[in-house]
Amino acid sequence: MEEAKNIAKTYDPQQVEERLYNEWMEKGYFRAEVDPDKEPFTIVIPPPNVTGQLHMGHALDETLQDILIRWKRMQGYSTLWLPGTDHAGIATQIKVEEMLRKEEGLSRYDLGREKFLERVWEWKHTYGNRIINQLKKLGSSCDWSRERFTMDEGCSKAVREVFVNLYEKGLIYQGNRIINWCPNCVTALSDAEVEYEEKAGHFWYIKYYVKDSDEFITIATTRPETMLGDTAVAVHPEDERYKHLIGKTLILPLVNREIPVIADEYVDKEFGTGAVKITPAHDPNDFEVGMRHNLPQIKVMNDDATINHHGGKYEGMDRYEARKAIIEDLTGAGLLLQTKDHVHNVGQCYRCGTTVEPITSKQWFVKMKPLAEAAIKVVKDGTIQFVPDRFSKIYLNWMENVHDWCISRQLWWGHRIPAYYCEDCGETIVSKKDITGCTKCGGKVIQDPDVLDTWFSSALWPFSTLGWPEETDDLNYFYPTSVLVTGYDIIFFWVARMIFSGMEHMKKEPFKYVFIHGIVRDSEGRKMSKSLGNGIDPLEVIEKYGADALRFTLATGNSPGNDMRFYWERVEASRNFANKIWNASRFVLMNLEINENKLPELEKLTLEDKWILSRYNNLVKEVTDNLDKFELGIAVQKLYDFIWDEFCDWYIELVKPRLYDKQSTSRLEAQYVLTYVLSNTLKLLHPFMPFITEEIWKHLPHEGESIMISAWPKYHEQYNFVEEEKQMSVIMAAIKSIRNIRAEMNVAPSRKAKLYVVTANVETFQKGKVFFERLAGASEVILSAQKEDIPEDAVSVVVEGAEMFIPLDDLVDREKEIERLEKEKQNLEKEVQRVNSKLNNHGFVSKAPAHVVEEERQKGQKYADMLAKVVERLKSLK
């Protein structure tokens, strides 16, 4: 066992982690094989953006996935953790445009589409793998040979296949509809890409005069600038106030265009004035009203939210600038009746935070109702389960009320829409392959300039990455995947779309479980963000404390669906835990003479051996059960408690006499049990802390090349020693109580004292004799069933099934202790007096801040309590 004794004195993650990761990679341990003799277990990574840099959210997401993958790999599954990155349409395009503007003073239009896309690909090749390399530093055991990118050849082929198939089924259509428009990103957004926030605004009450009359209707609006595109005013057909005006003509203020008064049940009689301006080109509800009444659509804004030629004198103004000018002009014309404060929900672009403008635009849409049906059914019938289940309700609510999905984006970076328009006959051709001529008349065609929403390709991720539309071995074996691990913030963006895509194109659910985690917040509970400057770089944590410490911190206290707070102190505690394991393992290794990992025969096991084996055996069962239920935080807490408390602080201490005594008949048995429990507990800990567990395991007697591909421990009924566990827990409780009494009396650990144990349970305490001597400072242990020959002033301790007594004179030098306590009493009396005189001083109490006075009161109470204990102690000694 010379190699075992070569283990370094201290654990240095910097020296270990990269070396081990490279070794795992070289030996191909992460590689997944199609193996008919094994059950598959698959996770596809939520593909991080190529623009991305590892942040704490990624670190949590990947740690949870890696824990599951490493655990299942050890359980004997053929595990595939498929990695990859997302092209991230808007985010990447903005980044490259920004770089061009800053470095070369160019816009994408200066370069043209082709040259600009060349630049984006260059950028992707330079920076796109940055996050992948960072994931490796975390210890992610992905099958890197299968790494994918949403715009690689295979994924792009899948995208075209899906688009054409859905188009041919009538589930993708092109239409002039109201969409969410971001004037800053200059593109359409889907409903899921709009975030709503309550903002303070106003209701402006405006007079709309009836033509050739002094009568007017008052309407209230939060967006006066859109009145430039009004094409009607609507009232409820049964509203007595306005019945006589239905069919009449109004003069649109400032624009002087004639617009009708129409009747529509959409109008709420009780809300506002009961009359609503209808702007079909700038409001989704107005759009529907306009369709019903065949109203014209007048779009008054350009793509950058400036007013267009329909806006007359306001043309060229920004929407908010126009709003201000319109308010001034209405006021000047006596048309503004009043302004009221109003708090309302304002939609913002999830990428840049710009207020979204609803506008009519010709876009491509996916019909969602037919696709949602199967996606709702598989969650309702439990084929797909959300963990925790409460998120299934959020998902179902979204899917049951889903709108058609706007999938076209006015960008250049992304999957270009495979639709072609004939310049001669006007035919629209949707094709899986690029075409150069019209299939109807042979005329020249131009391809639609738009690209697809980023989420269109990532919706196909669970099967496009496995080779679909080809029927590959990977697809047949690894699909459906097993678990999707993701945050609750992308249930609508991604999870819902993967589910309906899987059901539509594979006729099979994309995964069995959706394991939802929360977000990592800072120590004050705030979301980590650039603007707050409170983000913590996981790489900085890894550099300082190692990847294991970060992973352990992220797993600790983690419960499905709940946010967690990040504290540096917790990382330090995780690092200390790693050091504790290292030092305990080093101690075991330094005392080993054995070179095989096996357990002794049952009859050779001592009480403490059976106790630790039984506790370890239960740990295997509980940790496995917790992992099965995705209770990773509970599993890791149990491992921590067992390793730190039961194995290190108790078992190692309990067996030291056997290890040190060369004559001990159970010396080797102690080494076998130590080795068995330590190596197998390291296996349980491996998914959480892969590096330190591998490094220690390599030094221990073992079979196989790596802990990573060793077998996951199993529960064995033969090591379920219930009686011995009970006996040992009684002995340990007794030792703790004796230690507490000695600590309270300031007894030096080296000072030995007789211990009288009065108990009916003589057998248990007889077994504990050696431990009382070794761990509780007992010079001699005297067992009896009756209270006899026990000194009257002995200190007593009551524990389950026994009363224990320690002669006072054995514990302390009575005279010296009385002298010490008298001094302590005098000091405490002085402190109590000082505090009381302060609190009795009216000047101090009335002038000092309240918290200072309260602090003094608390101090006084503390000193008074301490004094009472000292006085009581003196009484017992005299």
Side-chain angles (χ1 to χ4, degrees), residues 215-235:
E215 195 176 358
F216 60 84
I217 289 180
T218 304
I219 64 96
T221 180
T222 56
R223 294 158 69 214
E225 64 280 8
T226 61
M227 67 183 288
L228 303 171
D230 286 0
T231 54
V233 165
V235 296

Side-chain angles (χ1 to χ4, degrees), residues 404-441:
D404 285 359
W405 173 19
C406 175
I407 53 170
S408 42
R409 297 290 178 272
Q410 290 62 53
L411 303 169
W412 289 354
W413 173 245
H415 295 101
R416 196 154 170 193
I417 288 173
Y420 300 83
Y421 309 116
C422 177
E423 291 186 318
D424 295 336
C425 71
E427 184 74 5
T428 297
I429 305 121
V430 168
S431 166
K432 290 177 187 176
K433 291 194 170 76
D434 288 345
I435 60 166
T436 50
C438 176
T439 50
K440 190 176 179 184
C441 74

Side-chain angles (χ1 to χ4, degrees), residues 340-469:
K340 279 188 183 174
D341 289 341
H342 174 64
V343 174
H344 58 148
N345 263 344
V346 177
Q348 294 168 301
C349 171
Y350 83 117
R351 281 280 173 213
C352 68
T354 302
T355 297
V356 165
E357 198 61 52
I359 56 170
T360 48
S361 179
K362 195 174 188 186
Q363 301 287 345
W364 288 92
F365 295 85
V366 174
K367 259 187 205 167
M368 285 304 304
K369 283 281 181 218
L371 292 168
E373 283 170 19
I376 288 167
K377 183 178 178 292
V378 282
V379 172
K380 277 190 171 173
D381 68 16
T383 306
I384 294 175
Q385 292 176 38
F386 278 78
V387 180
D389 180 57
R390 68 178 186 269
F391 288 100
S392 64
K393 294 171 186 64
I394 294 169
Y395 165 87
L396 289 169
N397 185 47
W398 169 266
M399 291 302 278
E400 283 163 357
N401 297 287
V402 75
H403 297 130
D404 285 359
W405 173 19
C406 175
I407 53 170
S408 42
R409 297 290 178 272
Q410 290 62 53
L411 303 169
W412 289 354
W413 173 245
H415 295 101
R416 196 154 170 193
I417 288 173
Y420 300 83
Y421 309 116
C422 177
E423 291 186 318
D424 295 336
C425 71
E427 184 74 5
T428 297
I429 305 121
V430 168
S431 166
K432 290 177 187 176
K433 291 194 170 76
D434 288 345
I435 60 166
T436 50
C438 176
T439 50
K440 190 176 179 184
C441 74
K444 192 183 171 195
V445 292
I446 52 162
Q447 189 175 355
D448 194 304
D450 289 353
V451 299
L452 288 162
D453 176 7
T454 306
W455 299 99
F456 191 92
S457 48
S458 43
L460 321 179
W461 191 247
F463 51 89
S464 66
T465 52
L466 292 169
W468 189 90

